[in-house]
Amino acid sequence: MVVDPHLVHAYWEIAAAHLGRMRKSLGGHCAGARAVLRFHESGRARGAAAAFFDVEIQPAARNWYVPLWSSDKTYWLELGFLAPDGRFLSAACSNEIYVPRSEPSSRCEVRLWSPARRASAQEDCRPPQVRATPGNERGGRAERRAPAESAPGPALDDGAPAAARPGGRREPLPVAIGSGPARLEGDACAPPGLSGGVRSAPAADLTAECERRFVPGVSSG
Amino acid sequence: MSRAARRAGMEKGCLIVLLHAHLPFVRHPEHEDFLEEYWLYEAITETYVPLLLLLDRLLEDGVEFRLALSLSPTLASMLGDPLLQSRYRRRLAKLLELAEKEVGRTRTRGPFHDVARMYRRRFEEVRAAYEERYCGDLVGAFRRIQETGKLEILAGAATHAYLPVLSVNPSAVRAQVRIGIAHYRETFGREPQGFWLPECGYHPGLENVLRGAGIRYTILETHGITRADPRPRYGVYEPVYGPDGLAFFGRDPDSSKQVWSSVEGYPGDYDYREFYRDVAFDENLEYLAPYIQRDGIRIDSGIKYYRITGRGEPKEVYVPQRAAEKAEIHAADFLLKRKEQVERLAPLMDVPPVITAPYDAELLGHWWFEGLWWLDALIRRLAAGGSPRLVTPSEYLQEHPVHQVVEPSPSSWGYKGYHEVWLSGANDWIYPHLHHAAAEMERLAAGNPRARGWKLRALRQAARELLLAQASDWAFMIKSGATATYAAERTRAHLGRHRLLCKAIRRGEIDRRLLEEMELRDNIFPRLDHRSFI
């Protein structure tokens, strides 16, 4: 289970008989074997070398908190024994966990969507037009595509919980309508329409601003 | 402002005020007088009835307003429970008696006497409203206000479980969502549009469950939006859609701090009432005996004579008129800051900015005594026109349906913004048990989809016990140390009953007397569908 972007918690229960069998299979290496939690990073590109790291634990503790140095990663864990000769014997494996990022994403793609994708396209699926205010006239954003009748909306199709899918997290699926990537030049994360000098208003990164103002834990929790 | 005017671009922005009302399911028919049941009685007197009266007065005065409210299934169940209703009536009668005695006791003490009379008047007003206006049916009163279209009530997880820590068993998360929504349909006679995530707790995969249950939107803590991927174009000032089409509104950090912060927030103003000085702790036990718990434990009466005054002692007497004026000033200040906010944001966005301001309902009236006066003043000022305009989340999405698609970030509104409150060295012992019980429940439900008679009753009760064990409140209390013993006992008791029932179902040996006893004690969700766990 994830505690925060830099801490995860694992617990386990291994039957004594199972542990006994494992010791037996380690044979002469049993005495020098170390119990570890092996963190496998999920979602790596096909063909990429397997990425994992081990954290030594005490099996009798039955649970362990593991500090992590990087966030925004998906892992699954194995609890096992690492023999002095490098052999790894797996005793149990975990569910998959996603460790959230601790700062805003640097990916700045803007894709728009409306739930009314099958309704009157002109009225309901059109991205709202920016209001022109004195000194604030602006050009259009990137060209809007006409919504296709058969265009897929955000995925509602297979009913499978995201956590149960390979890889756990999904890439956003194609959207019914949209203006395409709006970040074309300048500050990669400036608000859409503000880059490239289309608007005279000063650019503002509202996400960064919210982050600066945000104080976690301002609640009863 | 007319729809045409809004489309013409005169509107600068919108404001969503959302109150989250929740208490854990605490009902002990096996005890005549139970300490933790008083949480409900205090909240009815100080928050729920005054809130209903506030909304009714707004309606009677023809005030154009919008409010979003999350009423947790556990709270709604308790408000409608005949046993708790009768016990509340008994408690309220005692409070009226105490208030009357206080009016006499303070007769020669000038300003204290005025405060005592204020409490007597308030208790009388609450009694009249509870008995005559609402006939004890507070949930029905909220339902009727929702039917006016000015109040939007959100659904919530069945027992306010903190869903990220249950996600090891996706079936447990699905059941919390499905049963919460089924309860909403039964209670409010319609499909919910929004879903309040307990403690704003979000994890990947939850969106799919909510969309699968027909939910259109939910609310996240600020960084659930700002740390989404890709990066949101307008921070929390525009809702976003997740990949499955669920809309997410992000909590505005500024309006949160103004109300919530113990340092810079309004509730800490020195003219406001001091919560921690109750007459039940100031007077002698002999005088108080009829008004405290039967075991002699002092419990808040709600009669509090002092204002915050300053950081330490001594405290000065409370002056209601001065506090009411301060509530007006703070409402004006809050509104001014929202106006400035939307004025600044509107030119930077191509959709009207929306400020989402969720608060615990019990903060208003109970903890912050003047909080409902503040809310009333705020709503009336907003109704006078201009910007921002009060909207419900559904209304905003209806008017502005096109938004960015992102993958929200796991988050909560708890300490440090993630899951530490509910998963730490103090309370992590509960999770192996909860996860094991959830897996067992899923197996039994899947193996007995057409169960009938006593077996069905046992399955339903096993589900109730599991749901009650999953309440986020227990882990929170264990972590905070407040009523930690009670919380741990509740967790163990429900898990124990669940285990007993599962064993009985597996063996086909159901102890009917024991089952009936459990059904009487933990009677939440009488029409629960055990297949929700499949």
Side-chain angles (χ1 to χ4, degrees):
Chain A
M1 291 188 284
V2 173
V3 179
D4 63 40
H6 300 288
L7 189 66
V8 297
H9 175 252
Y11 73 82
W12 56 87
E13 192 173 288
I14 303 173
H18 187 47
L19 275 177
R21 281 195 298 275
M22 297 196 70
R23 286 200 186 94
K24 202 172 172 183
S25 59
L26 281 166
H29 294 295
C30 183
R34 292 178 295 135
V36 298
L37 282 175
R38 177 159 288 187
F39 282 68
H40 297 272
E41 195 179 325
S42 305
R44 291 176 65 84
R46 190 184 295 266
F52 66 82
F53 60 89
D54 292 335
V55 175
E56 194 169 338
I57 55 158
Q58 298 293 330
R62 297 172 65 169
N63 77 90
W64 210 260
Y65 286 88
V66 181
L68 299 174
W69 56 89
S70 67
S71 58
D72 192 20
K73 290 193 186 313
T74 302
Y75 298 104
W76 63 276
L77 278 64
E78 279 183 292
L79 188 155
F81 293 90
L82 193 59
D85 63 357
R87 271 191 304 150
F88 179 75
L89 260 75
S90 177
C93 60
S94 79
N95 53 307
E96 194 169 68
I97 53 166
Y98 169 64
V99 183
R101 70 177 56 79
S102 53
E103 54 191 20
S105 169
S106 55
R107 203 159 70 90
C108 297
E109 179 182 279
V110 174
R111 288 190 279 179
L112 301 174
W113 184 74
S114 160
R117 63 185 188 275
R118 292 190 189 280
S120 162
Q122 290 307 307
E123 179 63 21
D124 296 315
C125 296
R126 185 172 50 226
Q129 297 301 302
V130 169
R131 297 171 304 287
T133 53
N136 188 30
E137 293 79 9
R138 59 166 285 183
R141 297 172 44 180
E143 283 300 307
R144 174 168 50 87
R145 295 195 305 273
E149 182 65 26
S150 59
L156 297 172
D157 46 1
D158 63 6
R165 298 176 192 194
R169 305 182 73 242
R170 294 143 295 155
E171 286 301 306
L173 293 173
V175 290
I177 60 118
S179 55
R183 253 26 117 253
L184 301 174
E185 54 188 292
D187 176 4
C189 285
L194 299 183
S195 57
V198 237
R199 299 180 70 180
S200 58
D205 184 344
L206 296 180
T207 289
E209 183 183 309
C210 290
E211 276 279 327
R212 278 196 301 275
R213 292 169 182 271
F214 170 56
V215 178
V218 181
S219 73
S220 59
Chain B
M1 190 181 290
S2 70
R3 181 174 287 261
R6 288 201 293 274
R7 282 193 172 161
M10 291 163 64
E11 179 174 278
K12 291 286 195 298
C14 297
L15 172 65
I16 293 169
V17 175
L18 189 152
L19 301 182
H20 167 53
H22 164 67
L23 285 175
F25 191 77
V26 177
R27 178 182 177 277
H28 290 275
E30 73 277 21
H31 295 283
E32 185 58 31
D33 189 25
F34 198 82
L35 184 66
E36 282 76 10
E37 284 180 2
Y38 284 77
W39 298 338
L40 175 68
Y41 312 149
E42 287 173 13
I44 292 174
T45 304
E46 295 168 353
T47 296
Y48 308 141
V49 168
L51 174 61
L52 279 167
L53 288 171
L54 181 160
L55 296 175
D56 274 346
R57 277 194 293 268
L58 291 172
L59 290 170
E60 285 159 14
D61 294 348
V63 175
E64 187 58 30
F65 73 93
R66 295 289 186 276
L67 186 71
L69 174 74
S70 138
L71 198 60
S72 76
T74 49
L75 173 60
S77 298
M78 289 192 295
L79 289 174
D81 183 83
L83 174 73
L84 293 173
Q85 287 174 339
S86 73
R87 288 182 173 183
Y88 173 65
R89 288 187 170 100
R90 188 176 69 191
R91 175 61 178 163
L92 189 55
K94 283 286 180 194
L95 287 180
L96 272 161
E97 193 181 298
L98 177 60
E100 191 65 50
K101 279 172 75 172
E102 283 296 291
V103 168
R105 189 177 69 83
T106 58
R107 196 167 299 281
T108 58
R109 296 181 62 198
F112 286 90
H113 186 57
D114 293 341
V115 180
R117 285 170 54 213
M118 177 196 75
Y119 285 119
R120 182 176 65 181
R121 197 166 55 247
R122 276 179 63 90
F123 291 152
E124 281 169 352
E125 187 184 37
V126 168
R127 192 208 60 78
Y130 190 80
E131 295 294 358
E132 292 150 31
R133 192 177 188 113
Y134 305 125
C135 302
D137 182 13
L138 301 190
V139 176
F142 281 117
R143 181 177 59 236
R144 283 190 291 279
I145 298 174
Q146 173 159 246
E147 283 158 11
T148 66
K150 293 180 164 56
L151 176 71
E152 181 165 298
I153 302 176
L154 287 76
T159 54
H160 206 263
Y162 187 66
L163 301 177
V165 290
L166 295 191
S167 63
V168 171
N169 308 96
S171 66
V173 174
R174 282 198 300 272
Q176 278 282 342
V177 170
R178 288 172 179 170
I179 293 167
I181 290 174
H183 179 269
Y184 184 98
R185 284 192 205 106
E186 284 172 21
T187 307
F188 298 108
R190 60 165 70 178
E191 292 294 324
Q193 300 293 300
F195 191 96
W196 175 262
L197 293 173
E199 314 293 356
C200 293
Y202 182 74
H203 67 276
L206 192 46
E207 185 202 1
N208 185 274
V209 176
L210 294 174
R211 281 299 286 155
I215 295 298
R216 288 183 61 202
Y217 71 85
T218 189
I219 316 291
L220 296 186
E221 175 57 294
T222 308
H223 60 311
I225 302 294
T226 55
R227 296 176 196 176
D229 183 49
R231 188 186 183 102
R233 55 181 183 164
Y234 298 137
V236 297
Y237 306 119
E238 178 197 24
V240 293
Y241 290 115
D244 289 325
L246 183 72
F248 294 87
F249 289 83
R251 187 190 191 200
D252 169 45
D254 294 321
S255 51
S256 297
K257 266 183 282 186
Q258 277 178 269
V259 174
W260 276 110
S261 170
S262 58
V263 182
E264 55 193 287
Y266 301 135
D269 189 280
Y270 291 166
D271 282 331
Y272 285 150
R273 191 185 74 165
E274 171 62 62
F275 179 82
Y276 295 100
R277 281 292 296 275
D278 192 288
V279 72
F281 291 84
D282 283 351
E283 291 305 313
N284 68 65
L285 272 177
E286 192 183 348
Y287 174 76
L288 291 167
Y291 314 108
I292 60 174
Q293 214 220 350
R294 289 181 187 187
D295 298 340
I297 299 170
R298 293 175 186 259
I299 42 174
D300 274 25
S301 67
I303 299 177
K304 301 167 199 278
Y305 285 107
Y306 297 94
R307 63 190 183 90
I308 294 171
T309 313
R311 286 178 181 272
E313 299 287 336
K315 300 293 185 193
E316 291 172 7
V317 67
Y318 181 63
V319 183
Q321 183 57 36
R322 201 194 300 175
E325 287 164 11
K326 204 46 96 53
E328 280 281 349
I329 291 168
H330 286 157
D333 179 70
F334 184 89
L335 180 55
L336 178 68
K337 290 194 164 68
R338 299 292 80 72
K339 277 182 185 296
E340 288 171 354
Q341 207 172 4
V342 297
E343 289 280 347
R344 187 177 59 80
L345 292 168
L348 304 174
M349 299 172 59
D350 65 359
V351 61
V354 61
I355 310 297
T356 305
Y359 308 107
D360 271 350
E362 296 79 15
L363 175 69
L364 310 183
H366 176 61
W367 297 103
W368 177 19
F369 184 63
E370 299 79 6
L372 288 169
W373 303 349
W374 168 83
L375 181 66
D376 183 66
L378 175 66
I379 289 174
R380 287 174 189 273
R381 283 169 184 271
L382 282 159
S387 202
R389 176 173 57 99
L390 270 178
V391 293
T392 64
S394 291
E395 203 171 15
Y396 185 87
L397 290 173
Q398 184 74 27
E399 293 171 7
H400 307 287
V402 181
H403 302 290
Q404 190 180 355
V405 178
V406 303
E407 179 105 39
S409 178
S411 50
S412 84
W413 76 358
Y415 177 64
K416 292 187 183 174
Y418 293 93
H419 313 318
E420 184 180 319
V421 173
W422 301 274
L423 176 59
S424 70
N427 52 25
D428 57 19
W429 60 269
I430 67 179
Y431 295 108
H433 303 290
L434 285 181
H435 296 160
H436 182 267
E440 181 66 3
M441 190 70 232
E442 184 181 354
R443 274 194 294 275
L444 281 176
N448 298 279
R450 293 185 190 84
R452 301 176 67 173
W454 285 96
K455 192 174 195 178
L456 176 61
R457 284 173 66 172
L459 280 161
R460 285 176 159 178
Q461 192 59 31
R464 283 183 202 110
E465 301 296 349
L466 175 59
L467 292 168
L468 289 169
Q470 289 169 337
S472 65
D473 312 87
W474 314 139
F476 174 81
M477 290 175 202
I478 293 168
K479 165 79 173 171
S480 71
T483 55
T485 306
Y486 175 71
E489 277 172 10
R490 283 291 301 268
T491 307
R492 288 194 185 98
H494 292 301
L495 283 167
R497 284 176 216 145
H498 178 264
R499 197 162 42 240
L500 207 64
L501 287 164
C502 289
K503 195 170 160 186
I505 295 163
R506 277 198 309 271
R507 292 183 173 179
E509 295 169 0
I510 295 163
D511 182 333
R512 297 180 180 188
R513 189 194 54 78
L514 196 62
L515 174 57
E516 282 175 333
E517 198 181 297
M518 291 182 195
E519 287 174 333
L520 282 174
R521 182 185 297 201
D522 298 325
N523 67 347
I524 194 168
F525 308 131
R527 284 169 289 282
L528 179 150
D529 185 347
H530 70 289
R531 293 168 301 182
S532 303
F533 284 86
I534 301 173

